[in-house]
Amino acid sequence: MPPEKLAFVGGTGPEGLGLAVRFAAAGHAIVIGSRSLERAQEAAAKVRVKVPQAQVEGTVNQEAVELGEIVVVTVPFAGHRDTLAALAPVIGAKMVIDVVSPLVFEGGQIKALLVPEGSAAQQAQALLPGASVVAAFHHLDASSLMRIEKPLDADVVVCGDHPQAKLRTMALAEQIAGVRALDGGPLANSRYLEEFTAVLLSLNRNYKAYTALRIVGIARGGRPG
Amino acid sequence: MPPEKLAFVGGTGPEGLGLAVRFAAAGHAIVIGSRSLERAQEAAAKVRVKVPQAQVEGTVNQEAVELGEIVVVTVPFAGHRDTLAALAPVIGAKMVIDVVSPLVFEGGQIKALLVPEGSAAQQAQALLPGASVVAAFHHLDASSLMRIEKPLDADVVVCGDHPQAKLRTMALAEQIAGVRALDGGPLANSRYLEEFTAVLLSLNRNYKAYTALRIVGIARGGRPG
């Protein structure tokens, strides 16, 4: 696929940074967005440390979204609604990849919150009616993403109601070494993906591990029938 | 582990039958329960075809539960609440493995219903306050379970709040050839497991496949830390 310009909203956290590193390594241009210009520029510098040839800059969320062709949402869920509502006019009809899982730590456990719209990604679509929202990348461990020298061993299940945006996201995912992308159906399925992140984080804690997901039973290169 | 006597509530459907076949092959005694004595006996005969040495009988749900040491719930979700409410006095303080995912087919899509108690398994625990309820086996494909000559290639994530019941369930799961059991935390995590069944069924349809789940990143033989 041709190089894209990817804008990360909330790209200074571990998941956004990890994905930014992998996509920079794949030759895409990266704009790290943050509420703070300084933190965005610091995060861009961290990407450059991992990927010296990276085409990467850091700026405030609004400018990042203006610059990007594809918007990747990696804010904490607590800021998901307000951040996207504020950016809606700038995002307009762009393609949006929502990576957010609505999780909270409560009573020593990781729990998934129920979102009125159904899921974080469905909330994004409701706030951004002109955009093509896709849900993906929830299950890629942030610290594994940062270890750029090591291929992952993971499937990325992608959900969405916009076929072209879904295909573009799947192509992007497969540019991360060791990742296979799978078509997980409509955006209504995104709740199940987002919530399953809580299972992987529970397993990480129980087993002191960095888990990922593989779907068995689909031949490599299998395409939706 | 020593042989157990497993009673299947709603054991005539594909998932119950598939698990019964695998556990019969592992040397456990099986009682297939159904609302219909005739259908229960037919299902028991099907188990015997797959596992000639099986110790298996079929009877009505209530008698099955009386006979079993461990109760495995494999009813369709539509009958989950009423069936367990009626059987509660007989189930008493037994161990219960709930395999049910609250799914519906709606508008050509597979959807997970929200359950007031949180999940099907949490509903079971609420209806059976004296029982030790564990959630497991949601992601094992029924037709793959029936092909007894072929080992599976799957992880079974087990959730529950009763440590002994969880360990017994994990030991049972690992008696199915090719299965690894993982401790997925408290019963509150069961919703995420149940709902993920909708993702696997969507993938099955999209890719004309029989999918299963593997968790990458936990060494074989890894034990909760």
Side-chain angles (χ1 to χ4, degrees), chain A residues 30 82 192 216:
Chain A
I30 305 294
D82 290 350
Y192 322 138
V216 179

Side-chain angles (χ1 to χ4, degrees), chain A residues 161-197:
Chain A
D161 297 332
H162 300 270
Q164 286 310 313
K166 188 148 71 168
L167 286 173
R168 250 168 117 185
T169 305
M170 293 174 69
L172 268 174
E174 297 208 333
Q175 292 195 318
I176 301 176
V179 164
R180 175 180 65 169
L182 294 170
D183 180 349
L187 200 67
N189 285 358
S190 55
R191 183 176 91 224
Y192 322 138
L193 297 181
E194 294 173 9
E195 295 198 338
F196 201 76
T197 310

Side-chain angles (χ1 to χ4, degrees), chain B residues 3-203:
Chain B
E4 309 266 14
K5 192 155 194 169
L6 304 174
F8 284 76
V9 174
T12 58
E15 190 72 18
L17 206 56
L19 287 170
V21 161
R22 294 284 176 161
F23 289 131
H28 299 291
I30 305 294
V31 190
I32 301 279
S34 170
R35 285 177 299 179
S36 147
L37 176 62
E38 191 185 346
R39 291 188 56 223
Q41 291 174 336
E42 283 169 9
K46 286 182 196 166
V47 174
R48 226 173 277 115
V49 167
K50 288 283 178 183
V51 186
Q53 80 280 16
Q55 196 187 324
V56 58
E57 60 189 304
T59 183
V60 292
N61 281 325
Q62 168 142 355
E63 194 181 63
V65 166
E66 279 168 13
L67 292 170
E69 299 155 36
I70 297 176
V71 177
V72 186
V73 182
T74 51
V75 292
F77 180 68
H80 187 263
R81 181 189 297 274
D82 290 350
T83 304
L84 292 184
L87 294 174
V90 195
I91 292 176
K94 296 192 184 199
M95 173 178 151
V96 173
I97 304 174
D98 199 309
V99 186
V100 175
S101 293
L103 305 182
V104 284
F105 292 79
E106 204 180 281
Q109 295 295 335
I110 299 142
K111 291 189 181 172
L113 295 171
L114 290 172
V115 180
E117 293 84 355
S119 68
Q122 287 172 294
Q123 183 178 85
Q125 186 67 80
L127 292 165
L128 309 168
S132 305
V133 176
V134 170
F137 300 116
H138 312 84
H139 304 145
L140 297 186
D141 171 65
S143 63
S144 306
L145 284 167
M146 286 300 280
R147 291 158 64 195
I148 186 73
E149 68 289 354
K150 204 178 165 207
L152 299 185
D153 179 6
D155 287 335
V156 165
V157 184
V158 180
C159 292
D161 297 332
H162 300 270
Q164 287 309 314
K166 189 149 70 168
L167 286 173
R168 250 169 116 185
T169 304
M170 291 174 71
L172 268 173
E174 298 209 332
Q175 292 195 318
I176 302 177
V179 164
R180 176 180 66 168
L182 294 171
D183 181 348
L187 200 66
N189 285 358
S190 55
R191 184 176 90 223
Y192 323 139
L193 296 182
E194 295 174 6
E195 296 198 337
F196 201 77
T197 310
V199 174
L200 294 182
L201 294 179
S202 291
L203 290 170

Side-chain angles (χ1 to χ4, degrees), chain A residues 109 111-112 114 153 182-183 186 189 191-192 195 199 202-203 206-207 209 211-217 222 224-225, chain B residues 109 111-112 114 153 182-183 186 189 191-192 195 199 202-203 206-207 209 211-217 222-225:
Chain A
Q109 295 294 335
K111 290 188 182 173
L114 290 172
D153 178 7
L182 294 170
D183 180 349
N189 285 358
R191 183 176 91 224
Y192 322 138
E195 295 198 338
V199 174
S202 291
L203 291 169
N206 282 351
Y207 291 91
T211 57
L213 192 71
R214 279 291 192 193
I215 304 295
V216 179
Chain B
Q109 295 295 335
K111 291 189 181 172
L114 290 172
D153 179 6
L182 294 171
D183 181 348
N189 285 358
R191 184 176 90 223
Y192 323 139
E195 296 198 337
V199 174
S202 291
L203 290 170
N206 282 351
Y207 291 90
T211 57
L213 192 70
R214 280 290 194 194
I215 304 293
V216 179
R223 286 289 163 253

Side-chain angles (χ1 to χ4, degrees), chain A residues 45-216:
Chain A
K46 286 182 196 166
V47 173
R48 227 174 275 115
V49 168
K50 289 284 179 182
V51 185
Q53 78 281 16
Q55 196 187 324
V56 59
E57 60 188 306
T59 183
V60 293
N61 281 325
Q62 169 144 353
E63 194 182 62
V65 166
E66 278 168 14
L67 292 170
E69 298 155 39
I70 297 176
V71 177
V72 186
V73 182
T74 52
V75 293
F77 180 67
H80 187 263
R81 182 188 297 274
D82 290 350
T83 305
L84 292 184
L87 294 173
V90 195
I91 292 176
K94 296 193 184 200
M95 174 177 150
V96 173
I97 304 175
D98 199 310
V99 186
V100 176
S101 293
L103 305 182
V104 285
F105 291 79
E106 205 181 279
Q109 295 294 335
I110 300 142
K111 290 188 182 173
L113 294 171
L114 290 172
V115 180
E117 294 83 354
S119 69
Q122 287 172 295
Q123 184 179 84
Q125 186 67 79
L127 292 165
L128 309 167
S132 305
V133 176
V134 169
F137 301 115
H138 313 84
H139 303 145
L140 297 186
D141 171 66
S143 63
S144 306
L145 284 168
M146 286 300 279
R147 292 159 65 195
I148 186 73
E149 68 288 354
K150 206 178 163 206
L152 299 184
D153 178 7
D155 287 335
V156 165
V157 184
V158 180
C159 293
D161 297 332
H162 300 270
Q164 286 310 313
K166 188 148 71 168
L167 286 173
R168 250 168 117 185
T169 305
M170 293 174 69
L172 268 174
E174 297 208 333
Q175 292 195 318
I176 301 176
V179 164
R180 175 180 65 169
L182 294 170
D183 180 349
L187 200 67
N189 285 358
S190 55
R191 183 176 91 224
Y192 322 138
L193 297 181
E194 294 173 9
E195 295 198 338
F196 201 76
T197 310
V199 174
L200 295 181
L201 294 179
S202 291
L203 291 169
N204 286 354
R205 205 170 50 169
N206 282 351
Y207 291 91
K208 305 192 197 315
Y210 300 99
T211 57
L213 192 71
R214 279 291 192 193
I215 304 295
V216 179

